Amino acid sequence: MNSFFTFINSSVGKKLLMSLTGLFLSLFLIVHLAGNLLVLRQDGGESFNTYAHFMGGNPLVRTLEIGLFLFIAVHIVNGVRIWWQNRKARGKRYDVYRLDENTTLPSRMMALSASLVLLFLVVHLRKFWVPARFEGEQNMAGLVVTTFQNGWYVLFYLIALVVLGYHLRHGFQSAFQTFGWKTKRYAGLIEFAAAFFWLVIPVLFACIPLYVYLTGGAAVASLR
Ligand code: HEM
């Protein structure tokens, strides 16, 4: 057990933990997207509400949800530790702290994109998850539609999805480096698989607010 913690605290261990939690969170995105695309079925919100009730009421899903939040927490805490470790390491090499010399652009951009994704997540959970789990909201499809009839929310989601795409793209690149998968033989295949996560998934997510906004959402759900 002791050697496990020693490994997790090493810089390779931290990178591995970051990559594994990041991959798990990316898999969550596939499931989440598949469920949310149901909102686009033109059945007055019936399929989406059935899915949302299942997610809220099923004990296995609720347990997995706790696991999901734990993974998010580990990913964030570990990310902050790596960022801090890099900052300290560079600080040693330079006597005077200068932002442009002491942190590389990609690592600064990763920290910035991570903070923006976190901000998105806080707003997103307050908007949808809290009403579904704690406020007894029954018409989740209606809530999605009323939210995305507001152009500011649509803009916020679109910007957040571009930032998420950026974060995933660089996250995948560094995860593949950590796993040693960036060999010439597999490089093309790996780039292709990564593009599914950083490009296709955010684009499909973006279709939801855009579709609701542009069509008014009447066919998507019956409003309260
Ligand atoms: C624009 C597309 C999106 C829609 C319409 C949407 C909708 C929802 C809804 C309705 C919930 C409430 C809980 C439920 O019934 O499952 C939820 C929860 C959640 N969403 Fe999203 N979401 C979107 C995009 C995202 C993105 C891009 C992320 C991650 C970066 C994300 C992360 C989460 C998390 C972590 C939860 C709480 C866990 C869960 O309930 O599954 N969502 N979302």
Side-chain angles (χ1 to χ4, degrees):
M1 200 67 183
N2 245 355
S3 55
F4 171 76
F5 283 111
T6 312
F7 176 67
I8 284 301
N9 279 323
S10 70
S11 65
V12 179
K14 282 192 208 120
K15 276 191 173 175
L16 195 64
L17 189 61
M18 206 61 190
S19 305
L20 289 175
T21 50
L23 282 180
F24 174 86
L25 295 174
S26 304
L27 292 179
F28 156 78
L29 283 181
I30 299 182
V31 179
H32 195 52
L33 174 66
N36 281 320
L37 284 176
L38 288 175
V39 85
L40 299 186
R41 280 191 75 175
Q42 311 221 334
D43 60 1
E46 213 181 302
S47 312
F48 186 74
N49 282 338
T50 307
Y51 155 76
H53 291 154
F54 172 77
M55 296 301 278
N58 187 291
L60 179 66
V61 175
R62 299 299 294 267
T63 313
L64 287 174
E65 202 171 74
I66 296 172
L68 172 70
F69 282 112
L70 272 176
F71 270 74
I72 294 176
V74 171
H75 194 75
I76 294 171
V77 171
N78 199 52
V80 171
R81 291 177 72 210
I82 291 177
W83 172 79
W84 185 247
Q85 170 191 302
N86 288 344
R87 215 186 114 135
K88 261 191 351 201
R90 288 192 189 98
K92 276 185 194 150
R93 267 183 270 141
Y94 299 92
D95 289 342
V96 181
Y97 180 78
R98 282 188 50 196
L99 191 66
D100 55 336
E101 283 181 349
N102 287 358
T103 49
T104 59
L105 185 65
S107 80
R108 259 187 285 151
M109 290 301 284
M110 271 315 257
L112 180 66
S113 58
S115 312
L116 293 175
V117 171
L118 183 61
L119 172 74
F120 160 76
L121 215 52
V122 172
V123 174
H124 180 61
L125 292 181
R126 178 63 198 98
K127 191 72 210 163
F128 293 120
W129 183 73
V130 171
R133 298 289 183 274
F134 304 107
E135 293 172 355
E137 176 62 67
Q138 296 298 312
N139 186 3
M140 286 305 290
L143 181 60
V144 170
V145 168
T146 41
T147 302
F148 294 141
Q149 278 175 340
N150 180 334
W152 290 111
Y153 267 111
V154 176
L155 185 65
F156 175 69
Y157 269 70
L158 294 183
I159 294 172
L161 286 165
V162 170
V163 175
L164 177 67
Y166 176 89
H167 189 76
L168 290 178
R169 184 175 187 189
H170 292 269
F172 268 95
Q173 273 171 1
S174 85
F176 291 149
Q177 216 151 23
T178 303
F179 294 142
W181 288 350
K182 272 197 137 181
T183 57
K184 273 193 184 132
R185 199 168 158 206
Y186 299 118
L189 188 67
I190 282 170
E191 286 285 328
F192 186 76
F196 175 75
F197 285 94
W198 70 260
L199 183 63
V200 178
I201 288 188
V203 167
L204 289 176
F205 266 122
C207 290
I208 299 173
L210 274 179
Y211 181 82
V212 171
Y213 186 70
L214 295 175
T215 61
V220 170
S222 49
L223 301 179
R224 290 143 295 175

